[in-house]
Amino acid sequence: MKRIVFTLVWLMAVLAMSAQTIYPKHEVRAVWLTTIGGLDWPHNYSNGGASAERQKEELRQILNKLQKANVNTVLLQTRVRATTIYPSSMEPWDGCLSGHPGQSPGYDALAFAIDECHKRGMELHAWVVTIPVGKWNALGCARLRQRYPKLIMKIGPDGYMNPESEQTGDYLASMCREIVSNYDVDGIHLDYIRYPETWNRKMNVNAGRQHITSIVRKIHRIVKNEKPWVKMSCSPVGKYDDLTRYWSHGWNANTKVCQDAQGWLRDGLMDELFPMMYFKGNNFFPFAIDWAECSYGRIVAPGLGIYMLHPKELNWSLDIVKRELNVVRDYGMGHCYFRSKFFTDNTKGIYDYVSRQHDRYPALIPPMTWAHPTPPQAPTNLRVAGGSISWSAPRTNGRTPYLLYNIYASRTWPVDVDDVRNLVMPRWQKTKAAIDERMYYAVTAIDRFGNESAPVQMDRGTVVQAAQWLKNDGRYLSIPEKPKVSDAQYLVVETLAGNIVATRPYQGTRVDIRQLAEGVYTLRSVNRRNVTHRLGQFIVKR
């Protein structure tokens, strides 16, 4: 029977790959961006000044690549091992930024990362490592032991917060309050919120689960009291428990490490889960389906072990990850990559596949309707003038709430806001945006819970003056011949949001655009003095 069920699951995965790709409007597409040891970022140290700018620019380049691949959620490791990447009143600086534990890098890395993610229409969730606090004599663990001598337990060379102590939940809740109250994070993401697998647990599983759930409940209460729209999430062990026909091989969330993640969804303690599903075949598909069927209407985005693609790991073929991506989408789930560098390094072609095919178009993050179901009012006074579009924020009870905006564009009127291919600027922060092309526009408002308003449409009779579309075949773009008197050296390709996605030498009559995702772009020339001239717009459609 096991073999029959597995065959059916496998066949389903193959069929999902061959079926016509459907691009959902709402889907979480996330990455874990690891800071411990600078694994994903940073790869150079900062002591302020020019070195801080280099470190910042490195993160900008990572986020640019993630944006180009339509990633919409960044899980940034914020509490590392009883150390932080922001100026905390509770714990010292981690050494990943400055090279010296306890030393400031000369800027607030968390505040910077939040701002850069929001500029790109992405959410940033503060990834908080909970129970492990690092090597016994390392700075973070040592300071925590000095302040709370009975709170930290030693297992081998490492220290762990005692999950059976009431003080653990209180301390971690205070830590999360510090982050949420001081920073505009979109989520608190709890990692290792469980018993260590090597813990000598003397109580039964139910009692153990109660201890871990008590910690989660304390953090949830603090976070939601501060800002109810901030998402609560965690990364549970990839298999919730043994299934009727499939064994978890002794490694699961619920009975091995007392992590009742599905119960946390059911009871409203979690808004989102990122199960660590670094498996394949019948160790992946049945357990992924189990997460989907027990989501209780919340968000589930399985964590995919793309590091397994690397030749120094298990050297998976890319087809393994493709099948997993298609099946989790078929079951209405999102996806998350572990970890960022393997994704942006294009290991086995994963980045190319995702950016050009699987996630070719943007997606909005599913709204938290269980927390707040009412959408905001639509924007008003949509105006087009001087190469820009602007609108007025809706008002509620005489005041203007804090909102973001989604901008849609189409060559037909009215703009279909249900077609994600028309979404050109998600989570826009302003009430004005530059436009250069002859297209129709619609704008919606979204609140911090992700609820979207009805659209306000551009007047059908309004004509936006623009240059002729530049011709391309999806591979090469025909460009205007450079005038002999021009000193322009480079061509710059920008998104409608003004983000530079490609630069090319200004020579010849065509340029290679095969690396660009489908969409609408502006082409500009740049001279030695960094003076730019707009040459036209073009649409990449393959």
Side-chain angles (χ1 to χ4, degrees):
M1 180 61 73
K2 279 188 177 182
R3 181 168 296 180
I4 294 173
V5 172
F6 169 67
T7 302
L8 291 174
V9 172
W10 189 263
L11 179 60
M12 176 188 63
V14 173
L15 290 174
M17 282 190 65
S18 61
Q20 182 179 2
T21 303
I22 298 174
Y23 298 101
K25 181 175 178 178
H26 293 92
E27 184 177 71
V28 168
R29 301 164 181 175
V31 296
W32 278 288
L33 206 158
T34 308
T35 58
I36 188 169
L39 288 176
D40 293 326
W41 175 79
H43 294 145
N44 53 80
Y45 294 129
S46 167
N47 56 13
S51 61
E53 185 54 38
R54 283 195 300 271
Q55 195 173 88
K56 291 179 180 180
E57 182 59 23
E58 183 188 350
L59 182 59
R60 290 191 193 101
Q61 293 303 317
I62 292 171
L63 296 180
N64 284 343
K65 291 199 73 172
L66 296 178
Q67 180 190 25
K68 183 180 174 183
N70 291 315
V71 167
N72 56 28
T73 303
V74 175
L75 309 176
L76 178 65
Q77 194 170 29
T78 299
R79 186 197 193 217
V80 186
R81 292 294 186 273
T83 51
T84 67
I85 64 165
Y86 67 92
S88 170
S89 64
M90 299 179 65
E91 295 182 345
W93 285 96
D94 190 78
C96 67
L97 298 168
S98 68
H100 302 282
Q103 180 175 311
S104 168
Y107 73 104
D108 187 332
L110 179 57
F112 173 75
I114 292 169
D115 186 49
E116 292 297 319
C117 282
H118 287 176
K119 286 179 183 177
R120 292 164 176 79
M122 296 188 286
E123 287 193 355
L124 185 139
H125 296 208
W127 166 5
V128 176
V129 180
T130 56
I131 301 300
V133 291
K135 299 300 178 185
W136 189 251
N137 291 318
L139 180 63
C141 182
R143 287 197 180 177
L144 208 51
R145 288 192 292 111
Q146 290 172 0
R147 291 173 61 192
Y148 306 102
K150 297 181 180 180
L151 182 60
I152 309 303
M153 310 296 289
K154 187 176 183 182
I155 302 177
D158 299 313
Y160 295 84
M161 301 189 79
N162 184 352
E164 297 170 5
S165 170
E166 287 291 323
Q167 200 171 32
T168 294
D170 295 336
Y171 181 87
L172 290 172
S174 295
M175 189 95 208
C176 292
R177 178 198 283 123
E178 179 181 64
I179 296 170
V180 172
S181 62
N182 293 330
Y183 295 92
D184 189 20
V185 294
D186 301 285
I188 290 292
H189 177 65
L190 304 180
D191 184 23
Y192 217 107
I193 185 71
R194 60 181 177 85
Y195 272 86
E197 56 269 30
T198 52
W199 188 275
N200 184 21
R201 179 167 49 84
K202 297 179 181 179
M203 60 184 61
N204 63 37
V205 171
N206 287 332
R209 287 194 204 107
Q210 291 174 14
H211 281 299
I212 301 299
T213 298
S214 174
I215 299 172
V216 172
R217 185 173 286 109
K218 288 180 178 180
I219 297 172
H220 175 272
R221 184 182 304 118
I222 286 290
V223 168
K224 296 298 183 176
N225 283 343
E226 288 285 335
K227 296 175 182 176
W229 60 86
V230 172
K231 293 182 179 70
M232 280 288 299
S233 73
C234 71
S235 50
V237 171
K239 301 172 183 178
Y240 177 69
D241 213 331
D242 294 335
L243 303 177
T244 303
R245 295 183 176 90
Y246 290 94
W247 178 42
S248 66
H249 296 275
W251 181 238
N252 62 67
N254 191 41
T255 53
K256 177 63 178 179
V257 293
C258 302
Q259 195 174 39
D260 185 18
Q262 291 182 358
W264 300 339
L265 289 178
R266 180 195 63 232
D267 297 338
L269 297 177
M270 288 286 166
D271 303 297
E272 194 168 16
L273 292 184
F274 298 89
M276 298 182 293
M277 302 197 67
Y278 311 150
F279 321 114
K280 64 178 182 177
N282 62 349
N283 282 309
F284 180 90
F285 296 113
F287 295 95
I289 293 169
D290 178 58
W291 286 113
E293 292 179 343
C294 299
S295 66
Y296 297 95
R298 270 54 169 181
I299 302 168
V300 178
L304 308 181
I306 62 168
Y307 69 97
M308 295 293 193
L309 295 167
H310 199 280
K312 292 185 178 179
E313 295 291 340
L314 293 187
N315 202 25
W316 282 2
S317 73
L318 182 59
D319 283 344
I320 291 172
V321 179
K322 287 182 179 180
R323 284 190 288 269
E324 293 179 351
L325 280 167
N326 280 281
V327 168
V328 298
R329 174 169 289 173
D330 190 51
Y331 274 82
M333 295 185 284
H335 49 273
C336 185
Y337 301 111
F338 186 78
R339 45 190 177 75
S340 175
K341 190 173 187 301
F342 291 97
F343 184 63
T344 56
D345 281 355
N346 199 26
T347 307
K348 290 280 182 71
I350 179 64
Y351 183 87
D352 287 344
Y353 170 71
V354 167
S355 60
R356 297 176 185 175
Q357 297 184 52
H358 192 79
D359 294 342
R360 182 182 298 180
Y361 300 102
L364 299 177
I365 295 161
M368 297 166 61
T369 53
W370 53 89
H372 181 74
T374 306
Q377 296 295 312
T380 59
N381 303 322
L382 187 65
R383 300 174 295 277
V384 177
S388 67
I389 186 171
S390 61
W391 58 90
S392 299
R395 299 179 70 84
T396 303
N397 297 327
R399 64 183 182 87
T400 303
Y402 180 74
L403 297 171
L404 299 169
Y405 301 94
N406 297 321
I407 304 176
Y408 299 83
S410 173
R411 284 184 285 180
T412 60
W413 187 95
V415 180
D416 183 358
V417 298
D418 292 324
D419 188 343
V420 75
R421 293 175 297 179
N422 294 332
L423 178 60
V424 292
M425 299 182 198
R427 294 174 58 86
W428 190 249
Q429 295 177 289
K430 304 174 183 178
T431 55
K432 185 176 182 178
I435 53 171
D436 293 320
E437 63 288 333
R438 189 176 294 135
M439 299 183 80
Y440 294 105
Y441 284 86
V443 179
T444 63
I446 55 171
D447 62 22
R448 293 306 296 271
F449 295 91
N451 298 299
E452 186 176 27
S453 76
V456 56
Q457 297 277 351
M458 191 174 96
D459 183 76
R460 188 173 188 177
T462 303
V463 177
V464 181
Q465 297 299 323
Q468 188 70 25
W469 292 104
L470 301 175
K471 296 180 179 179
N472 72 90
D473 61 2
R475 301 171 67 248
Y476 294 95
L477 172 71
S478 297
I479 60 174
E481 185 177 356
K482 183 169 64 172
K484 293 181 180 179
V485 296
S486 174
D487 64 348
Q489 293 181 304
Y490 298 99
L491 296 170
V492 172
V493 179
E494 296 178 348
T495 65
L496 290 181
N499 297 314
I500 296 175
V501 294
T503 57
R504 302 285 189 270
Y506 195 167
Q507 57 189 28
T509 59
R510 67 177 191 168
V511 294
D512 189 339
I513 59 170
R514 288 175 292 181
Q515 298 300 315
L516 296 181
E518 289 192 347
V520 182
Y521 299 93
T522 300
L523 183 69
R524 299 182 185 276
S525 65
V526 184
N527 67 10
R528 294 182 179 88
R529 299 183 303 278
N530 289 326
V531 176
T532 68
H533 292 281
R534 178 183 162 280
L535 302 178
Q537 288 75 45
F538 62 97
I539 300 175
V540 178
K541 190 171 181 61
R542 301 181 178 91

